[in-house]
Amino acid sequence: MSASEPSMTISTDNEQSKVVGVSTRLHESSDRRPKLARSSDELAAARSKISVSNLDFFYEEQQALFDVTLDVPEKCVTALIGPSGCGKSTFLRCLNRMNDMIDGTRLKGKILLDQEDIYRPRTDVVELRKRVGMVFQKSNPFPKTIFENVAYGPKVAGIRKRSVLREIVEHSLRKAALWDEVKDRLNQSALQLSGGQQQRLCIARTLATSPGVLLMDEPASALDPASTSRIEDLIFELRESYTIVIVTHNMQQAARVSDQTAFFFQGKLIEAGATNTLFTNPEKTQTEDYITGRFG
Amino acid sequence: MSEGRPDILSSNQSLLSGATTSPVRKIGEGLIQFALFLCAAVSVLTTIGIVAVLLIEALQFFRDVSPWDFIFGTKWSPLLKPQHFGILPLLCGTCLVAAGAAVVAIPIGLCTAIYLSEYAPKWVRETVKPLLEILAGIPSVVYGYLAIVFVSPIIRSMFESANVFNAASASIVVGIMILPMIVSLSEEVLRAVPRSLREASYALGATKLDVTLKVVVPAAFSGILASFLLAISRAVGETMAVTLAAGATPKLTLNPLESIQTMTAYIVQVSQGDTPAGTVEYRTIFAVGLTLFFTTMLMNILAQWVLRRTREKYE
């Protein structure tokens, strides 16, 4: 933890400079995309899709999360922010049990998805991951065709009929705002797409399993501003039908896309609340220091 | 940090100002470079020499025997009268053994590689891999011996028509010999498949079997194919085990229970025997050697070509 401290300062510097470039664009896009972040009252009224209580998480002996309690409201965007190594990605990967894949990890506490504990012994992890989709930081399309990438999830789920698959693929690509760009080359390799297109393809691939929840681990951090903007617009549209949890390094992005924001620091959830409130009127000084860029 | 910068700059400048190489060092560098060049030259020149000898002797052979008869003749009996110089029976013997070895080694090897790379806990992998190295280190003459005293009797107990020396027993032991090669090369390419692809697959609700068969193996496929080709090329060139186990009867047959002869075994037979140097019979081994050389070289080139294609794949 302490070893990564110096690099954390550097990364904030980068973010600050990025913010300057992005903010001008923000004003343009705010014309066509009215900011409709849900108020704290609306959030409180929303049904809780995921409910995490007293979550502790360990890598071997090292504790990465401390007593995290957080409600994720349905059909809202929840942003997880915080400096590198604060545990926000670890937290995200707990929600679809992706951390199971790493040897020597341990977890205490409860995570309820639709009131069901996803860590009870008889949970079908495969089934869980169909309901909780994930988009990764670096786009990771399979070295297959565009069609096969999107059809992968449904195929794994046992759908064989070509016509059904084709329908799912088209539907998912449309939802991911990629259909018009790729409809004529579905049989080309996905690796020929640009970085931004690949990431939207990964989103389409995730949507194809029709999950209720979408986890996104810094989905735009490797993309140029134009692609980032497209992904953000997309997140905003997807909010209507999906519950989204997004990890982001970029506070402006959190402010732009999310309804609720949770601030993590050193493995602890410092503060969570309606994005509008958290960014304008944070309760804790640590949160204020972070969002005003006083530390990273 | 910023205070350190001027120092670095000035020390760089002082280095640059004193950057004229002394003559002693220049000669030393030159000597080392020359010595390294000689080392490299030895291996290159040896290869060229071997190919040259093969070609020259083989050309002399083809002055006595027409290449047509050599390539398309179906009878091989250069040491007996009437002499026949058709390479096909030997080529067929080699292919029979190599194909048999592939049938034994490819399924077992691929399954082992998949198990080690995707399923096995760390300690199993760390135990099995050194064991495979040991398997690879067993001298091939031991394999040949095992084929005769152990494998062949079992085959004969199952198939009464089987000869004491037969292609099947040679195939089986050669298959075991090339197994470590397939396992370690395939395992390497399987493990080289990026973790992000596995995670993407798991995140879509795939089971471990889905991930393995639909993502990892296809992504590593050309590397796996290359490992097969390299292993088969090794089986083609394998000499000791087949000389002992497969017999010495050049025969154009696909029946693995019969005694056959491979190209390598024939070369051994002539090299050890009392065939006088300079005769046509003697020169046959160069012609056979050249054929063998081309066969394995072709397979190696094919394998390299396939491997190169994998490297460009994920990025």
Side-chain angles (χ1 to χ4, degrees):
Chain A
M1 190 62 195
S2 60
S4 63
E5 225 91 5
S7 65
M8 275 156 48
T9 2
I10 292 166
S11 73
T12 343
D13 284 351
N14 285 344
E15 268 161 34
Q16 295 302 324
S17 57
K18 214 192 294 171
V19 166
V20 178
V22 167
S23 60
T24 46
R25 200 176 43 76
L26 221 194
H27 293 301
E28 296 162 23
S29 65
S30 59
D31 298 337
R32 64 187 158 87
R33 184 217 292 159
K35 189 86 179 76
L36 286 171
R38 283 153 173 119
S39 68
S40 42
D41 295 338
E42 281 176 287
L43 285 175
R47 196 177 80 94
S48 150
K49 181 79 177 172
I50 301 173
S51 167
V52 181
S53 45
N54 308 102
L55 182 70
D56 290 320
F57 188 84
F58 303 84
Y59 291 107
E60 308 282 351
E61 286 315 302
Q62 199 192 348
Q63 190 164 358
L65 291 175
F66 300 84
D67 196 32
V68 175
T69 297
L70 179 67
D71 261 1
V72 176
E74 190 170 34
K75 295 188 180 167
C76 291
V77 179
T78 299
L80 310 178
I81 61 169
S84 302
C86 69
K88 55 194 192 303
S89 280
T90 303
F91 177 79
L92 191 76
R93 294 167 62 96
C94 286
L95 302 181
N96 66 343
R97 292 189 55 170
M98 217 51 185
N99 286 326
D100 290 15
M101 232 85 70
I102 304 164
D103 290 336
T105 55
R106 225 151 26 87
L107 173 140
K108 270 198 306 207
K110 232 182 204 163
I111 301 179
L112 304 181
L113 171 67
D114 295 327
Q115 315 309 320
E116 274 175 67
D117 186 354
I118 62 168
Y119 276 90
R120 76 196 155 157
R122 51 190 192 86
T123 302
D124 181 351
V125 183
V126 168
E127 208 47 51
L128 168 74
R129 293 195 186 123
K130 283 177 195 152
R131 289 164 59 196
V132 184
M134 187 169 212
V135 177
F136 297 83
Q137 181 172 4
K138 210 176 149 260
S139 61
N140 50 2
F142 301 125
K144 298 174 189 279
T145 63
I146 294 168
F147 184 91
E148 287 300 325
N149 262 278
V150 184
Y152 182 85
K155 273 188 173 176
V156 158
I159 298 174
R160 287 277 167 274
K161 255 183 120 178
R162 199 73 187 165
S163 58
V164 178
L165 286 174
R166 213 170 292 138
E167 211 168 282
I168 294 175
V169 168
E170 178 175 345
H171 183 73
S172 309
L173 285 170
R174 277 189 196 281
K175 271 204 161 167
L178 190 62
W179 174 252
D180 291 331
E181 288 158 66
V182 301
K183 64 180 176 211
D184 299 322
R185 45 176 177 149
L186 292 177
N187 289 321
Q188 278 180 28
S189 166
L191 301 181
Q192 289 173 354
L193 297 174
S194 74
Q197 288 173 326
Q198 287 193 9
Q199 192 62 299
R200 274 179 286 144
L201 178 68
C202 291
I203 293 175
R205 182 174 69 181
T206 308
L207 297 181
T209 59
S210 38
V213 181
L214 217 52
L215 307 178
M216 298 181 150
D217 191 354
E218 300 188 42
S221 68
L223 302 179
D224 60 89
S227 305
T228 304
S229 169
R230 299 208 60 167
I231 301 266
E232 287 179 9
D233 291 348
L234 184 57
I235 291 170
F236 221 74
E237 280 161 32
L238 294 174
R239 185 183 69 159
E240 298 307 320
S241 22
Y242 300 89
T243 304
I244 297 173
V245 185
I246 176 172
V247 164
T248 174
H249 245 90
N250 181 330
M251 281 172 289
Q252 275 59 35
Q253 184 171 68
R256 283 194 299 266
V257 302
S258 73
D259 304 302
Q260 177 183 243
T261 300
F263 170 57
F264 282 77
F265 184 58
Q266 294 183 343
K268 297 188 183 75
L269 177 65
I270 304 297
E271 186 174 348
T275 300
N276 289 343
T277 322
L278 189 121
F279 274 92
T280 51
N281 195 9
E283 276 172 28
K284 304 271 168 58
T285 47
Q286 270 170 312
T287 317
E288 190 176 352
D289 287 351
Y290 183 72
I291 59 177
T292 53
R294 218 165 295 164
F295 82 105
Chain B
M1 239 337 237
S2 58
E3 290 141 19
R5 264 181 206 157
D7 290 347
I8 294 168
L9 277 179
S10 62
S11 68
N12 264 344
Q13 275 161 350
S14 68
L15 263 176
L16 282 174
S17 60
T20 44
T21 326
S22 70
V24 178
R25 202 210 278 178
K26 218 168 186 173
I27 294 169
E29 289 277 353
L31 276 177
I32 289 172
Q33 200 179 336
F34 186 65
L36 291 175
F37 170 77
L38 277 186
C39 292
V42 166
S43 63
V44 175
L45 289 178
T46 321
T47 313
I48 294 174
I50 292 173
V51 176
V53 169
L54 271 180
L55 278 175
I56 291 165
E57 295 282 341
L59 279 177
Q60 284 201 298
F61 169 80
F62 286 120
R63 277 202 299 215
D64 297 321
V65 178
S66 91
W68 179 270
D69 288 347
F70 179 73
I71 297 170
F72 296 104
T74 54
K75 222 166 166 343
W76 180 262
S77 58
L79 307 180
L80 305 165
K81 302 274 175 201
Q83 285 180 315
H84 290 283
F85 297 98
I87 188 84
L88 280 182
L90 291 186
L91 203 59
C92 171
T94 294
C95 290
L96 189 59
V97 171
V103 166
V104 172
I106 285 176
I108 300 177
L110 184 56
C111 290
T112 312
I114 288 174
Y115 171 72
L116 287 180
S117 127
E118 304 301 310
Y119 288 88
K122 207 171 158 205
W123 69 266
V124 173
R125 189 164 58 235
E126 279 168 5
T127 327
V128 172
K129 288 205 86 181
L131 279 176
L132 281 170
E133 299 294 318
I134 296 175
L135 199 63
I138 297 174
S140 66
V141 66
V142 176
Y143 279 106
Y145 182 70
L146 283 177
I148 298 169
V149 302
F150 188 68
V151 182
S152 182
I154 295 176
I155 290 174
R156 273 159 63 83
S157 71
M158 288 193 288
F159 305 96
E160 279 177 16
S161 64
N163 202 297
V164 182
F165 301 104
N166 55 60
S169 58
S171 290
I172 291 169
V173 291
V174 173
I176 295 168
M177 280 173 76
I178 62 174
L179 192 61
M181 199 171 176
I182 292 183
V183 174
S184 62
L185 288 176
S186 298
E187 197 248 11
E188 232 162 79
V189 291
L190 285 171
R191 278 166 69 82
V193 172
R195 191 191 155 86
S196 64
L197 288 187
R198 292 169 221 260
E199 286 197 336
S201 180
Y202 279 121
L204 291 168
T207 61
K208 192 148 198 166
L209 193 67
D210 288 326
V211 175
T212 305
L213 295 184
K214 295 184 183 148
V215 172
V216 179
V217 172
F221 187 70
S222 40
I224 293 171
L225 204 64
S227 86
F228 293 167
L229 288 173
L230 285 174
I232 292 171
S233 140
R234 161 111 204 266
V236 167
E238 166 49 34
T239 307
M240 215 50 228
V242 292
T243 307
L244 289 174
T249 332
K251 208 181 285 171
L252 194 59
T253 175
L254 289 175
N255 181 357
L257 301 176
E258 283 190 56
S259 167
I260 50 125
Q261 188 167 42
T262 64
M263 293 190 276
T264 49
Y266 173 76
I267 295 174
V268 171
Q269 185 191 359
V270 173
S271 313
Q272 299 176 307
D274 35 348
T275 318
T279 59
V280 187
E281 294 87 332
Y282 175 74
R283 291 213 179 92
T284 51
I285 62 172
F286 294 99
V288 173
L290 197 67
T291 315
L292 192 60
F293 172 71
F294 277 127
T295 317
T296 46
M297 191 174 71
L298 222 69
M299 303 221 52
N300 285 344
I301 290 173
L302 200 62
Q304 289 300 330
W305 179 76
V306 171
L307 256 183
R308 245 202 318 280
R309 286 192 43 208
T310 359
R311 290 215 185 92
E312 300 159 353
K313 202 142 172 214
Y314 317 120
E315 296 303 320

